[in-house]
Amino acid sequence: MGERRAIVTGAAGMLGSQVLLDVPDGWEALATVRGGVLPVELGDERPLLGGVDLAEPEDVASLVRWAGDFDAVIHCAAYTNVDGAESDEAAARRANADSCEVLARVCAERGARLVMVSTDFVFDGTASEPYTEDAPTAPLGAYGRTKLEGEERALAAHPDGCVVARTQWLFGPRGKNFPGTMLALARAGRPLRVVDDHFGSPTSTQALAPALWDLARLEAANGIYHAACEGRASWFELAAETFRLARLAPDLTPCTAADFPRPAPVPAFSVLNCARLADLRGGPLPTWRDALAAHLESSP
């Protein structure tokens, strides 16, 4: 078999850019971005198509003609402004649900696999144990509703070839992320109050990207998978570990989410049980502490 091809959407983003850097042997990645260009470290010679509206069937048809034969789509593009979705749910739905259905239909027609990235926000956060893939969904806000709708519509349109990867609390070397924000504030001498009553699994794009490629290439992959680093933490614990690894000692105190009200409701506990993905891949993603250490070592 010759080289296989995957289209990576949202290729200029924090996750999509990492997926482009981690192309496995035997595969070629074609990149799409809605606007702008790829980060410079991804190289100028990578096949790239810009200006694609993935919720528009005619744009996706043009993408397919440009791409030629392809075996998979790794769909990283999304509307990720959680608070903004509350005031513009239509825009969030277009990016998070309409695009998934359009891509799923195209992949079904072409016999290609669709790997779509979803979120812990499909849950309401009332659990006390990590959520499994079959746990009842009950999104609290517009962002979670549109991401869940995207899952449902994509799986319905391409039941034999759509794989959903739910992840959470992402950080990576390109794009705005929580550890980077904390370090910048600490180095500016700012006192910090960080939420200590919301819990999840901080996940590195450098750990997640290879798992997404496995979901694209492994024939046994099907349905929904939870894909996050091992372990759990509060935002305060994530900040504290970031400072410990960076050898910084800022003025850091815990607070509650109620101290920082925001437009969008957020699940208080959204740790994901990733055993199904670990069984498929022969092992789990690294712990969030190890992933954070690797991230900080590789970041400028």
Side-chain angles (χ1 to χ4, degrees), residues 64-87:
V64 168
R65 288 192 295 271
W66 170 78
D69 293 334
F70 63 93
D71 302 279
V73 174
I74 302 179
H75 185 30
C76 300
Y79 184 109
T80 57
N81 183 346
V82 175
D83 290 333
E86 292 300 308
S87 57

Side-chain angles (χ1 to χ4, degrees), residues 51-129:
V52 180
D53 182 349
L54 297 170
E56 177 53 58
E58 291 185 2
D59 276 24
V60 174
S62 297
L63 168 62
V64 168
R65 288 192 295 271
W66 170 78
D69 293 334
F70 63 93
D71 302 279
V73 174
I74 302 179
H75 185 30
C76 300
Y79 184 109
T80 57
N81 183 346
V82 175
D83 290 333
E86 292 300 308
S87 57
D88 196 354
E89 189 164 351
R93 177 168 291 104
R94 184 171 177 80
N96 293 341
D98 294 354
S99 69
C100 295
E101 182 174 4
V102 171
L103 288 170
R105 292 188 182 281
V106 167
C107 287
E109 292 168 1
R110 299 293 291 259
R113 186 183 296 272
L114 172 64
V115 178
M116 60 159 293
V117 180
S118 192
T119 175
D120 58 319
F121 275 65
V122 301
F123 299 113
D124 64 9
T126 60
S128 56
E129 294 296 328

